[in-house]
């Protein structure tokens, strides 16, 4: 008997890679471009990050939102663009769980960007281990840490 | 009614009542009714449905969801599809419909049926509550009234149709197949309906004294009330006693024991069924209720046979304890009026200058005890007016108000709101007037 719950499929992946490559037009002015292989690797990373964090996703779109949010960051350059996106993706799904899904995708990305460009000065270690950890702790304990949720743009 | 001549590839008895849709697909695939390709298409259609549901569930806030959340929604979809598939008289027909009409069409069918089932179950619940027997057993009322009410508050037929939410502590007499969601509640309430209906043929006193024969603390025990009543009624009929009195004694139980000591389980069941038929004729029970009673005989015959063998028949055919019944009045409030309506009534009562007019308006507008209490506290009554209002109430309402506000309080009187203090003073005045009038008679 085949498993009824098939969460991933080649067709869905193909569509997602196409959507990621579509972001190049937007990021090119910042000198950031992804090749097809990099887009495939990114999509695979999304799959692994989802699996690792016990989540499923329909329709995707988070990679595009991350690219759109971070492409104008002063700390991002072509040399570590792909690597940073991999890290951001992992951090994103990890903190979706840690914040108990209380923040929408766009809100969480906005908070990530604010911290990355601000107090973390482009450090992914500080972002994951310090700022977002504090945010999720505050959210879980029922409050919002003053001054962190900035009311900036949502990337929904 | 199913056609016995029709040959079906899928045996409906092998399908799970709880996970009907999954077991239907499994059997259909295993028996070759469903090809691999068709199964894959159904899986993809189910995933499409899931994606659409997850999006609606997340309200566009998040594109991902924890696996447990997605699985929960998927089970809800399967449950709804199962409701639609169960509607077909043969499982083969359901599989054909799945292929010809598609998963989505069947899901929409199932959702409509689920929502209709919720409505009919609500009506069934309202009927039960309106005719609920009065029992001291705390689990009976708390489950049948409050528990089920809680279920309807929480039940979500779209995203969590398989959830039961409540523990349904009170056990029904007849075990039934494993079910989920509204199907379980409907079946559970159907059993409760028949059991409560049958118990309604007997006085509260007779039932209370009978159950005290089981345990003086039966009100705190998680036990079925209908079983002992049915058993005792059958016992009375077998020994030529009036069944409605549920009044067996040791001699009668001994007689039953002698009559059954040589009988097999099948014979005992046949005897119980024949006695139930006589009982139904004498008591003029409706056919559906008689059917439920007859079906109960199977489980009953098991415990009767065991009791005969172990010489413990008096634990099955209970001997009542007389003189322990203390009747008490319960006031159950109906549903409160909505806030806007309540504000309108308060305003009208405050504006009215005639005391008689105010009392008349109160009687016309108020249908729930809780609303009455709120209005007595919120409207600006003088103490004399309040006394007249209270005097115009039914004795049960006066007693309930006295219990709430005039009985010794757990908090200091100074902590009461001014409206509560006024109501308390008026109730005490009313009760003093009563005591003076009736001389030494004490009411509370």
């Amino acid at each position: 008997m085949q498993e009824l719950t098939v969460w991933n499929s080649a067709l869905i992946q193909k569509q997602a890679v196409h959507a990621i490559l579509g972001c190049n037009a937007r990021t090119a002015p910042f000198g950031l471009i992804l090749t097809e292989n990099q887009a495939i690797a990114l999509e695979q990373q999304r799959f692994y990050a989802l699996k690792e964090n016990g989540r499923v996703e329909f329709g995707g779109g988070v990679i595009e939102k991350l690219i759109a949010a971070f492409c104008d960051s002063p700390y991002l350059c072509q040399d570590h663009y792909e690597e940073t996106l991999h890290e951001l993706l992992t951090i994103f799904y990890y903190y979706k769980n840690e914040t108990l899904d209380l923040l929408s995708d766009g809100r969480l990305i906005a908070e990530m960007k604010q911290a990355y460009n601000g107090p973390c000065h482009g450090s992914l270690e500080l972002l994951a281990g310090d700022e977002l950890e504090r945010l999720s702790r505050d959210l879980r304990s029922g409050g919002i840490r003053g001054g962190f949720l900035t009311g900036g743009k949502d990337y929904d | 009614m199913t056609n016995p001549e029709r040959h079906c590839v899928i045996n409906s008895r092998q399908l799970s009542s709880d996970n009907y849709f999954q077991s239907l697909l499994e059997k259909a695939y295993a028996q070759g009714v469903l090809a691999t390709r068709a199964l894959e298409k159904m899986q993809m259609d189910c995933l499409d449905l899931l994606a659409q549901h997850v999006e609606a569930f997340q309200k566009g806030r998040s594109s991902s969801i924890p696996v447990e959340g997605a699985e929960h929604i998927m089970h809800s979809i399967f449950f709804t599809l199962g409701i639609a598939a169960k509607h077909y008289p043969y499982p083969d027909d359901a599989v054909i419909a799945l292929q010809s009409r598609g998963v989505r069409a069947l899901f929409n069918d199932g959702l409509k049926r689920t929502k209709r089932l919720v409505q009919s179950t609500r009506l069934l619940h309202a009927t039960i509550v309106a005719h609920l027997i009065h029992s001291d057993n705390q689990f009976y009322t708390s489950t049948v009234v409050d528990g089920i009410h809680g279920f309807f508050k929480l039940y979500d037929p779209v995203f969590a149709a398989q959830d039961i939410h409540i523990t349904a502590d009170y056990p029904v007499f007849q075990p039934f197949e494993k079910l989920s969601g509204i199907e379980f509640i409907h079946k559970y309430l159907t059993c409760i309906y028949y059991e409560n209906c049958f118990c309604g043929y007997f006085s509260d006193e007779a039932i209370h004294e009978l159950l005290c024969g089981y345990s003086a603390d039966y009100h705190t025990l998680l036990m079925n009330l209908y079983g002992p009543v049915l058993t005792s009624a059958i016992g009375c009929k077998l020994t030529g006693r009036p069944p409605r009195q549920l009044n067996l004694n040791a001699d009668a139980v001994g007689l039953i024991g002698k009559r059954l000591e040589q009988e097999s389980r099948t014979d005992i069941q046949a005897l119980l069924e024949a006695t139930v038929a006589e009982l139904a004729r004498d008591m003029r029970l409706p056919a559906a209720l008689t059917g439920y009673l007859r079906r109960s005989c199977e489980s009953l015959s098991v415990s009767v046979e065991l009791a005969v063998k172990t010489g413990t028949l008096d634990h099955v055919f209970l001997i009542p304890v007389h003189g322990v019944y203390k009747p008490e009045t319960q006031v159950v409030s109906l549903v409160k009026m909505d806030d806007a309506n309540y504000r309108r009534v308060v305003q009208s009562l405050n504006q009215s200058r005639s005391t008689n007019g105010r009392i008349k308006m109160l009687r016309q507008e108020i249908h729930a005890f809780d609303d009455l209490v709120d209005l007595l506290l919120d409207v600006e009554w003088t103490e004399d007016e309040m006394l007249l209002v209270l005097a115009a109430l039914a004795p049960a309402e006066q007693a309930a108000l006295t219990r709430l506000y005039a009985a010794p309080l757990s908090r200091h009187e100074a902590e009461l709101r001014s409206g509560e203090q006024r109501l308390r003073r008026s109730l005490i005045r009313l009760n003093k007037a009563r005591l003076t009038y009736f001389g030494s008679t004490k009411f509370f």
Side-chain angles (χ1 to χ4, degrees):
Chain A
M1 175 64 192
Q2 296 192 1
E3 271 295 309
L4 279 173
T5 47
V6 183
W7 301 116
N8 204 12
S9 77
L11 187 68
I12 295 170
Q13 260 191 333
K14 208 170 176 181
Q15 282 175 334
V17 168
H18 187 72
I20 295 168
L21 289 174
C23 295
N24 280 342
R26 182 177 190 158
T27 58
F30 301 101
L32 304 170
I33 296 286
L34 287 172
T35 64
E36 187 169 351
N37 282 342
Q38 286 174 326
I40 291 169
L42 208 50
E43 178 52 25
Q44 281 171 349
Q45 176 63 22
R46 182 182 77 98
F47 177 65
Y48 292 130
L50 281 166
K51 201 174 171 188
E52 202 167 298
N53 290 293
R55 299 181 70 85
V56 284
E57 191 167 60
F58 299 95
V62 167
I63 299 175
E64 293 94 290
K65 282 180 191 170
L66 281 171
I67 292 173
F70 283 84
C71 66
D72 60 354
S73 168
Y75 299 102
L76 213 54
C77 68
Q78 180 65 32
D79 288 348
H80 53 83
Y81 178 42
E82 186 199 357
E83 191 191 331
T84 306
L85 285 178
H86 277 254
E87 288 289 326
L88 287 173
L89 203 53
T90 309
I91 292 169
F92 172 80
Y93 288 120
Y94 178 78
Y95 279 102
K96 276 299 277 187
N97 281 348
E98 289 297 298
T99 54
L100 310 175
D101 281 277
L102 290 169
L103 298 182
S104 70
D105 288 354
R107 189 73 248 167
L108 179 57
I109 291 172
E111 295 304 325
M112 285 168 70
K113 182 187 178 183
Q114 181 76 18
Y116 181 76
N117 287 345
C120 300
H121 300 289
S123 162
L124 290 167
E125 287 77 21
L126 280 178
L127 177 68
D130 195 359
E131 292 298 323
L132 290 178
E133 176 58 37
R134 218 175 302 163
L135 169 72
S136 56
R137 212 170 38 234
D138 283 353
L139 280 170
R140 286 199 303 270
S141 61
I144 301 281
R145 182 159 55 92
F148 193 88
L149 281 182
T150 54
K153 182 188 172 187
D154 265 15
Y155 290 90
D156 277 327
Chain B
M1 173 125 182
T2 54
N3 179 2
E5 287 175 13
R6 183 171 161 180
H7 171 71
C8 275
V9 180
I10 305 167
N11 185 351
S12 57
R13 286 181 192 167
Q14 291 178 346
L15 299 178
S16 154
S17 54
D18 193 16
N19 297 308
Y20 189 82
F21 181 71
Q22 295 100 307
S23 64
L24 178 71
L25 286 197
E26 263 180 41
K27 290 288 168 204
Y29 186 69
Q31 307 278 346
V33 179
L34 206 57
T36 308
R37 205 154 175 191
L39 179 66
E40 280 174 0
K41 186 183 178 305
M42 280 180 201
Q43 289 173 344
M44 288 311 290
D45 289 347
C46 286
L47 280 177
D48 279 350
L49 262 180
L50 177 64
Q52 188 193 327
H53 273 69
V54 167
E55 196 182 340
F57 181 74
Q58 301 275 50
K59 296 183 182 125
R61 283 169 44 89
S62 181
S63 60
S64 63
I65 184 172
V67 170
E68 300 81 36
E71 280 176 349
H72 198 75
I73 294 174
M74 193 59 148
H75 283 142
S76 176
I77 292 170
F78 287 159
F79 173 87
T80 310
L81 285 165
I83 292 261
K86 277 181 189 175
H87 178 64
Y88 290 90
Y90 298 100
D92 293 25
D93 292 345
V95 177
I96 292 166
L98 265 168
Q99 292 182 88
S100 58
R101 296 182 59 204
V103 166
R104 190 170 291 269
L106 240 71
F107 175 81
N108 291 337
D109 251 18
L111 192 57
K112 270 186 205 160
R113 286 182 193 285
T114 307
K115 286 179 178 172
R116 274 207 296 268
L117 191 58
V118 172
Q119 289 307 320
S120 60
T121 311
R122 269 185 197 278
L123 282 175
L124 179 64
H125 183 231
T127 310
I128 293 169
V129 171
H131 300 98
L132 199 70
I133 59 157
H134 174 247
S135 172
D136 285 345
N137 186 279
Q138 60 195 46
F139 294 102
Y140 190 61
T141 317
S142 69
T143 305
V144 177
V145 181
D146 305 333
I148 302 294
H149 189 64
F151 165 82
F152 285 120
K153 263 187 178 175
L154 298 171
Y155 189 62
D156 179 353
V158 180
F159 298 116
Q162 79 283 23
D163 280 359
I164 296 174
H165 297 292
I166 58 165
T167 49
D169 294 327
Y170 176 77
V172 291
F173 185 73
Q174 271 182 242
F176 55 84
E177 70 268 33
K178 196 164 181 268
L179 293 169
S180 304
I182 189 68
E183 276 194 311
F184 169 83
I185 295 294
H186 185 79
K187 185 78 184 177
Y188 180 75
L189 282 181
T190 305
C191 294
I192 295 280
Y193 172 78
Y194 286 128
E195 295 184 7
N196 185 71
C197 199
F198 181 67
C199 290
Y201 280 84
F202 303 88
S203 69
D204 291 345
E205 183 179 1
I207 295 175
H208 177 75
E209 290 182 347
L210 176 75
L211 296 173
C212 281
Y214 179 75
S215 166
D217 295 325
Y218 84 90
H219 58 281
T220 61
L221 298 180
L222 198 51
M223 63 177 286
N224 179 266
L225 307 183
Y226 154 87
V229 174
L230 173 65
T231 317
S232 180
I234 290 174
C236 288
K237 188 73 198 160
L238 281 172
T239 52
R241 289 161 176 266
R244 281 179 198 262
Q245 290 179 11
L246 304 174
N247 193 14
L248 289 171
N249 59 19
D251 293 343
V253 176
L255 273 175
I256 298 168
K258 271 190 183 164
R259 188 165 174 184
L260 299 178
E261 63 188 352
Q262 299 300 326
E263 306 282 2
S264 67
R265 184 181 298 174
T266 321
D267 293 337
I268 292 173
Q269 188 178 333
L271 178 66
L272 294 177
E273 283 177 359
T275 315
V276 157
E278 282 177 38
L279 202 62
R281 206 171 42 243
D282 292 355
M283 294 174 75
R284 297 183 181 178
L285 302 179
L289 178 58
T290 309
Y292 188 84
L293 261 56
R294 203 171 40 246
R295 289 193 295 279
S296 304
C297 290
E298 193 182 339
S299 333
L300 192 55
S301 64
V302 178
S303 46
V304 169
E305 188 201 18
L306 191 70
V308 171
K309 279 182 184 166
T310 54
T312 52
L313 210 57
D314 57 335
H315 285 69
V316 177
F317 290 94
L318 300 177
I319 297 167
V321 178
H322 295 293
V324 287
Y325 184 65
K326 289 176 192 154
E328 62 179 52
T329 306
Q330 267 197 340
V331 176
V332 179
S333 180
L334 299 173
V335 178
K336 290 174 77 168
M337 66 174 80
D338 61 70
D339 291 349
N341 207 13
Y342 181 77
R343 280 196 295 274
R344 180 187 60 77
V345 175
V346 171
Q347 206 173 9
S348 305
L349 282 168
N350 279 336
Q351 282 168 355
S352 173
R353 285 165 187 251
S354 141
T355 305
N356 284 339
R358 295 176 94 185
I359 294 173
K360 200 175 164 190
M361 196 187 299
L362 188 78
R363 299 302 299 177
Q364 278 173 350
E365 297 279 357
I366 302 305
H367 303 289
F369 180 75
D370 289 345
D371 279 332
L372 172 70
V373 176
D374 288 347
L375 283 174
L376 288 174
L377 298 176
D378 292 341
V379 174
E380 293 156 15
W381 308 96
T382 64
E383 279 196 29
D384 288 339
E385 270 181 337
M386 179 82 87
L387 200 61
L388 285 171
V389 170
L390 294 174
L393 296 177
E397 292 166 330
Q398 291 172 349
L401 284 169
T402 302
R403 182 85 181 262
L404 284 172
Y405 292 100
L409 296 165
S410 56
R411 51 192 168 148
H412 196 272
E413 194 163 341
E415 290 173 31
L416 296 176
R417 287 161 50 197
S418 63
E420 289 175 323
Q421 287 181 5
R422 190 170 56 227
L423 179 57
R424 181 177 167 80
R425 281 196 300 273
S426 304
L427 281 165
I428 289 169
R429 270 178 71 192
L430 178 78
N431 291 328
K432 269 186 185 161
R434 280 270 168 85
L435 286 173
T436 313
Y437 181 76
F438 285 103
S440 62
T441 308
K442 283 193 177 177
F443 274 74
F444 306 104

